[in-house]
């Protein structure tokens, strides 16, 4: 007693939780002594004990599947869990980080074994290198580079297979999807300068492979590594292609900048492109289109803050800054990359940009 409630703030907080704040005596307040309902106080105390236990258990339990700095968000761990015990957390920049849900986890360790950061990866040296482009000039002109990914996709689909790749048809949710018709190849065309959402994809690929379906998977090197690690064995009906990756920003970063630059961004369905071709060559930027494919917002590097930040490496995922896959040896069957042909050594290429 003798001190004000503000001076006894800790005591006041404790007593107020028990609805007993009037028991804190100070010199200016007349003391009113009332009976305490101990049964009610005990219920509240028990509830607070349970909350504290959950907090301490969570704090003492390592929920990580791999070191945070190494996690690429490949979702291999998600596909391995049979108990729905993988929860997706987000950091301040909006990147997805799978962690164990301690209330559901049975400590089987399958998620950790599936993670490519916890086991040696089958890196392979390149056997051959080619400069190539689609023969169909329209295929080239509607692709970011030479259209080879589309050529491979058409071949797989024409032979009864399916293709998994990233789509930016919904600018608010850039993600991997599965296609099985040639008309849908357009959904996978173009560079995407946002990390694609891979939730549910690794498990879907595995299901298709086990059915005997031929699968082409196209993704970043770390996404291919996650798929390979999760599958645990080679599949003769699986073909993987990655590309020379620059690093990935998060969907959240992209959404924040677009909402600032284009207030109507989240109010209507929009697709997005990050590179475009015209008679002058390729340009980097952000190009938002409506359902009729009419450009409704356009910003080009270097005026585009998003493109400038991406090309400057300002807001990639933490693992991108120490990427395990930025090396000559690869985890995929095929690696694709731009060949600018600045000296125009290959006249047969219809599009040198």
């Amino acid at each position: 007693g003798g001190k004000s409630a503000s001076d006894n703030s800790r005591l006041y907080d404790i007593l107020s939780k028990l609805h007993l704040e009037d028991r804190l005596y100070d010199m200016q307040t007349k003391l009113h002594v009332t009976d305490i309902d101990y049964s009610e106080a005990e219920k509240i105390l028990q509830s607070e004990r349970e909350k504290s236990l959950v907090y301490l258990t969570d704090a003492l339990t390592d929920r990580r599947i791999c070191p945070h700095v190494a996690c690429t968000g490949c979702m291999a761990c998600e596909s391995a869990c049979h108990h729905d015990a993988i929860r997706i957390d987000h950091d301040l920049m909006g990147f997805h980080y799978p962690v164990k849900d301690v209330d559901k986890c049975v400590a089987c360790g399958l998620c950790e074994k599936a993670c490519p950061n916890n086991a040696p990866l089958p890196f392979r040296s390149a056997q051959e290198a080619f400069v190539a482009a689609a023969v169909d000039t329209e295929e080239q002109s509607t692709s970011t580079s030479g259209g080879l990914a589309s050529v491979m996709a058409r071949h797989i689909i024409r032979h009864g297979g399916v293709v998994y790749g990233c789509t930016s048809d919904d600018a608010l949710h850039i993600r991997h999807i599965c296609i099985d018709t040639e008309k849908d190849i357009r959904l996978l065309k173009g560079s995407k300068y946002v990390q694609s959402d891979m939730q549910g994809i690794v498990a879907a690929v595995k299901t298709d492979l086990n059915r005997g379906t031929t699968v082409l998977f196209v993704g970043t090197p770390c996404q291919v590594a996650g798929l390979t690690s999760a599958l645990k064995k080679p599949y003769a009906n699986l073909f993987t292609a990655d590309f020379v990756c620059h690093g990935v920003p998060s969907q959240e970063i992209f959404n924040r900048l677009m909402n600032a630059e284009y207030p109507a961004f989240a109010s209507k369905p929009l697709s997005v492109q990050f590179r475009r071709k015209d008679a002058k060559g390729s340009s980097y930027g952000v190009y938002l289109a409506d359902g009729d494919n009419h450009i409704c917002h356009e910003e080009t590097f270097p005026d585009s803050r998003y493109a400038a930040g991406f090309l400057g490496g300002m807001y990639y995922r933490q693992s991108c800054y120490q990427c395990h896959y930025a090396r000559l040896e690869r985890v995929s069957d095929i690696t694709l990359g731009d060949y600018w042909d600045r000296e125009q050594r290959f006249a047969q290429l219809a599009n040198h940009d």
Side-chain angles (χ1 to χ4, degrees):
K3 294 184 179 181
S4 68
S6 60
D7 291 331
N8 288 292
S9 58
R10 293 184 182 178
L11 284 173
Y12 183 83
D13 286 344
I14 293 172
L15 289 171
S16 63
K17 283 183 180 292
L18 301 173
H19 308 304
L20 297 173
E21 58 268 31
D22 62 333
R23 308 294 292 190
L24 184 62
Y25 169 68
D26 63 63
M27 298 293 289
Q28 287 75 39
T29 304
K30 185 177 180 180
L31 184 63
H32 298 281
V33 179
T34 57
D35 292 336
I36 297 175
D37 185 349
Y38 287 101
S39 62
E40 184 63 27
E42 180 59 32
K43 289 179 183 177
I44 297 172
L45 281 173
Q46 182 59 32
S47 175
E48 292 300 318
R49 291 189 193 103
E50 291 172 358
K51 290 178 184 178
S52 297
L53 181 60
V54 170
Y55 177 83
L56 289 171
T57 301
D58 197 39
L60 294 171
T61 302
D62 188 356
R63 300 183 294 114
R64 298 174 301 174
I65 295 154
C66 68
H68 183 87
V69 68
C71 176
T72 64
C74 69
M75 299 298 162
C77 54
E78 177 201 45
S79 72
C81 182
H82 303 308
H83 301 280
D84 192 29
I86 303 299
R87 189 177 77 229
I88 307 301
D89 281 355
H90 303 83
D91 67 5
L92 293 175
M93 294 180 70
F95 288 106
H96 293 183
Y97 283 91
V99 295
K100 301 171 189 173
D101 185 332
V102 294
D103 292 329
K104 299 178 180 178
C105 181
V106 297
C108 65
L110 289 178
C111 59
E112 295 170 358
K113 293 176 183 176
C115 177
N117 288 314
N118 297 330
L121 288 169
F123 283 102
R124 295 169 290 175
S125 297
Q127 301 299 307
E128 294 184 86
F130 301 92
V131 175
V135 174
D136 187 337
T137 55
E138 184 179 356
E139 191 83 276
Q140 280 194 52
S141 64
T142 56
S143 301
T144 296
S145 297
L148 286 185
S150 296
V151 170
M152 292 188 292
R154 290 187 194 283
H155 178 80
I156 294 293
I157 289 172
R158 286 173 182 175
H159 288 78
V162 298
V163 179
Y164 286 84
C166 179
T167 183
S168 57
D169 68 325
D170 179 358
L172 286 168
H173 187 202
I174 294 173
R175 67 207 185 280
H176 261 64
I177 61 171
C178 176
I179 64 168
D180 58 6
T181 63
E182 287 189 65
K183 68 179 179 63
D184 285 337
I185 290 176
R186 63 177 181 80
L187 297 174
L188 307 185
K189 283 178 175 280
S191 299
K192 292 88 178 179
Y193 298 154
V194 175
Q195 183 169 34
S196 64
D197 185 355
M198 282 281 291
Q199 292 185 66
I201 293 297
V202 175
V205 171
K206 187 172 184 179
T207 297
D208 280 332
L209 291 173
N210 288 333
R211 288 173 179 161
T213 305
T214 300
V215 173
L216 170 64
F217 179 88
V218 183
T220 61
C222 58
Q223 289 171 339
V224 173
L227 174 64
T228 302
S229 182
L231 293 176
K232 294 300 180 187
K233 66 177 184 179
Y235 284 82
N237 51 330
L238 172 64
F239 300 92
T240 58
D242 66 11
F243 43 84
V244 180
C245 182
H246 202 282
V248 290
S250 70
Q251 181 78 59
E252 178 65 22
I253 289 292
F254 177 67
N255 290 356
R256 287 181 200 171
L257 281 175
M258 286 302 99
N259 280 319
E261 298 288 345
Y262 183 59
F265 174 65
S267 64
K268 57 183 177 180
L270 297 170
S271 62
V272 61
Q273 290 179 295
F274 296 96
R275 278 175 66 181
R276 298 186 71 193
K277 286 180 178 177
D278 56 30
K280 297 179 181 179
S282 292
S283 58
Y284 294 86
V286 178
Y287 310 93
L288 298 173
D290 60 22
D292 295 322
N293 207 31
H294 295 144
I295 298 296
C296 51
H297 177 73
E298 178 176 347
E299 50 184 63
T300 305
F301 176 81
D303 298 323
S304 168
R305 289 196 298 165
Y306 184 79
F310 170 76
L311 293 172
M314 292 176 61
Y315 34 67
Y316 297 158
R317 191 182 183 94
Q318 198 170 2
S319 58
C320 295
Y321 296 106
Q322 49 184 11
C323 178
H324 300 312
Y325 309 101
R327 52 192 288 181
L328 290 175
E329 298 80 16
R330 314 303 293 176
V331 293
S332 62
D333 298 316
I334 299 172
T335 294
L336 302 171
D338 290 338
Y339 182 81
W340 293 97
D341 195 23
R342 298 188 188 281
E343 296 80 21
Q344 299 198 3
R345 296 168 56 196
F346 297 92
Q348 65 270 37
L349 294 180
N351 188 333
H352 293 287
D353 296 304

